[in-house]
Structures are given as C-alpha cells and as structure tokens.
Amino acid sequence: MYAIASTTKLYPTYILSDESAQSQLEIVPERGGLVTHWRVGDREILYFDAERFANPEQSVRGGIPILFPICGNLPDNTYTYDGKSYNLKQHGFARDLPWTVGESNTDRHASLTLELASSPQTRAVYPFDFHLAFTYRLQGNSLEIIQRYTNPSDEQILPFSCGLHPYFNVPDKSQLRFNLPSKQYWDQLDGTLHDFDNQFNFDREEIDVAFTQLNSHTASVYDRKRGLTLNLEYSIPFSTLVFWAVQGKDYYCLEPWSAPRNALNTGDRLIHVHPRSSLEMLVRLDVQLD
C-alpha cells in the first residue's frame, strides 16, 4: 500500500511511504525541493544536519540537494554570457529556492512532482527562462528521481549543467567497499589526476574528487558495518561522478553531475535545450539489505 501524507515541522513536509516495504521518504518543497530523509526498514539511508537546516542563512548539509544551473563552483563565482558577466554561487540556486507541489500518485508507487520556474530573481543571475519538474518515485527499496528540464523560450537556447548531491549516512567509512565506474579521478582540491583502485584514504581531512571518464552508468557502495549496499544508476547525459567526504563527519557524498565544474564558462559537456523543448533525465537509487 502506497500513501502520501503531509505535516508541518519547520516547513511543510510531504511523506511518501510504501507500507509493504516499510520504506519512507520525506520532502520539503519550500527548502529547495529537498529530500531530507529516506528510510528503508529501520535504516536511515541519508545523513541530515538538522541544526544547519533550521538556519535558512546556512546552506543545507544533508539529504539530497538539487544542483542547477551549475555543478560545483565557478572561478570567482563568475561566468560570462553574451559579453556580460554574471555571478552564481556554488551549485547554483535551485537548492535554495522554494519549489511548488505538482501531481501526486499512490497507484503503483508513491510519487510526488515538484516544480521550479524562472523568475526575475533567477534571471538577475542567470538570464534564461526554464521550467524544472522533478518527480520523486518511491517503490520498495528504490527511489527514482525523474527530472524534466524545459526551455519555454521561443528563441533562446537554455545552457546548463545539473546534478544531485546526496549525503549518505555512514558511521564508519573504513567499512565501505566501492565499485565505481572509472580508473582515474581528478582531485578537485589540487587539480591533480590519480589512478583509482576503488579505495579512498579516509585519513585525509577532506576528499573531493571527480570521475570524469565513466565506463558505465552504474555505481555501488557496500557498507559492511550496516549490512547495506547502495546502488546508483544514472541516465545520459550524466557524465561525471563526484565523491566527497570530510573527516569526522558521518556522511559520504556520491554525486551524479552532467558536467564537470565551470562548464558554463568552458562549455565542457554543457547541456543545451532548444527553444520549446525538454530533456528528461533519471537517477535511481536502490538499497539492498543483508
């Protein structure tokens, strides 16, 4: 049996549930369309910093933030379009703006669609019209995030990169085992290229690496301590996986991006949606329990 309920905590919150699988998803549209919690049985899959969430002046750390219209940061937070410079902060603005609630469904799954459209506020930093529709679909131990990027303009091409920034809960990173689809990564802290053998050095204070040459559209992480495997699938044009972890924090991030950092300036793998057209993309997360 599938259900969608609503409640008010700090903000109006929608709770999607699959009773037979004992899985539950919480979404807060007003805070960037953020997924704040995802539980499978008695396991909390996501890390969530409630204290930072309670302060709207701070960026959220936890859940599944949405990255649009850029992933990562720009040099000096600046890009140039049509001879004019604009400022965009790291990861763009979608994760900070209120989204509106659209359609819902509890027939063969529990799903909720959230929408975000361009406005005078967004055009001041990103001079393009857009309409985003994200459908969160919960079924069993799986979460699908179906993303539709629409260009409502009659003339102007819509350029962007996009991604998700999920924070996964982990009490002991030394117990993680990785199967990631790349043999090399770029260290985003110092710009160096390294070979990768599916291991990370968690003695480092911070790990921030980008896998930009992927050989498949799947990745997985096994947490031996929790007896839990996380499987990640992503559609084209997702082309980059970012792994981020901070020493002493009970999370790791495995982030599907459509392009590397600074794509709005370099054009590297930048998405272009033509006028009156849409692009649909998919990220699927699946949890297997021992």
Side-chain angles (χ1 to χ4, degrees):
M1 178 180 175
Y2 303 101
I4 299 176
S6 60
T7 186
T8 298
K9 298 181 179 180
L10 285 174
Y11 302 91
T13 301
Y14 289 78
I15 304 170
L16 283 60
S17 59
D18 179 342
E19 186 177 308
S20 62
Q22 295 185 309
S23 59
Q24 193 173 85
L25 189 77
E26 296 188 19
I27 308 172
V28 182
E30 193 172 324
R31 285 297 298 274
L34 182 72
V35 172
T36 54
H37 296 282
W38 178 25
R39 300 178 190 89
V40 176
D42 61 353
R43 318 288 181 90
E44 178 60 70
I45 307 303
L46 302 175
Y47 171 90
F48 185 67
D49 187 330
E51 186 175 339
R52 287 180 67 99
F53 182 73
N55 183 353
E57 299 302 315
Q58 289 188 301
S59 62
V60 170
R61 185 156 290 182
I64 309 180
I66 296 168
L67 313 183
F68 175 89
I70 60 171
C71 302
N73 58 350
L74 304 169
D76 298 321
N77 293 327
T78 301
Y79 71 98
T80 301
Y81 172 74
D82 200 19
K84 183 177 177 181
S85 292
Y86 297 87
N87 287 95
L88 268 179
K89 64 182 180 178
Q90 181 167 321
H91 296 321
F93 47 69
R95 62 178 179 157
D96 298 320
L97 296 176
W99 291 54
T100 59
V101 178
E103 295 181 355
S104 61
N105 190 312
T106 55
D107 185 10
R108 286 178 260 182
H109 49 252
S111 68
L112 184 72
T113 298
L114 304 183
E115 301 177 22
L116 179 70
S118 50
S119 67
Q121 179 183 357
T122 66
R123 291 188 197 96
V125 295
Y126 178 68
F128 304 95
D129 289 330
F130 63 85
H131 182 272
L132 311 184
F134 276 45
T135 299
Y136 296 94
R137 180 181 294 170
L138 181 71
Q139 185 177 39
N141 293 3
S142 298
L143 169 62
E144 290 186 342
I145 305 175
I146 304 160
Q147 307 145 59
R148 179 175 289 271
Y149 301 86
T150 298
N151 179 2
S153 171
D154 290 324
E155 299 178 353
Q156 192 178 34
I157 289 177
L158 175 64
F160 65 92
S161 57
C162 58
L164 298 172
H165 196 316
Y167 288 75
F168 297 110
N169 188 24
V170 56
D172 185 353
K173 298 186 187 77
S174 72
Q175 298 300 303
L176 297 179
R177 300 295 179 265
F178 297 91
N179 185 9
L180 305 186
S182 185
K183 299 299 184 183
Q184 289 184 318
Y185 64 74
W186 289 97
D187 189 318
Q188 298 193 119
L189 299 176
D190 61 16
T192 55
L193 181 66
H194 299 266
D195 291 333
F196 179 64
D197 59 358
N198 277 306
Q199 295 183 9
F200 293 103
N201 177 12
F202 289 112
D203 291 331
R204 295 180 59 182
E205 289 188 11
E206 180 180 6
I207 301 171
D208 186 359
V209 303
F211 299 91
T212 59
Q213 300 297 326
L214 305 179
N215 54 41
S216 79
H217 290 92
T218 62
S220 66
V221 183
Y222 176 53
D223 187 334
R224 293 200 305 178
K225 184 168 185 174
R226 302 184 75 200
L228 181 156
T229 300
L230 175 78
N231 298 303
L232 168 66
E233 299 178 36
Y234 42 90
S235 66
I236 296 172
F238 285 111
S239 70
T240 299
L241 280 179
V242 168
F243 182 84
W244 182 54
V246 177
Q247 195 177 61
K249 299 294 185 179
D250 291 340
Y251 63 76
Y252 70 91
C253 298
L254 186 60
E255 312 167 34
W257 292 9
S258 67
R261 288 180 174 179
N262 201 29
L264 210 51
N265 280 313
T266 66
D268 183 11
R269 286 171 263 190
L270 193 66
I271 294 172
H272 296 87
V273 176
H274 290 277
R276 297 293 176 182
S277 299
S278 296
L279 173 67
E280 191 167 288
M281 300 167 64
L282 172 68
V283 170
R284 176 186 171 93
L285 297 167
D286 178 79
V287 172
Q288 294 176 311
L289 304 178
D290 289 354

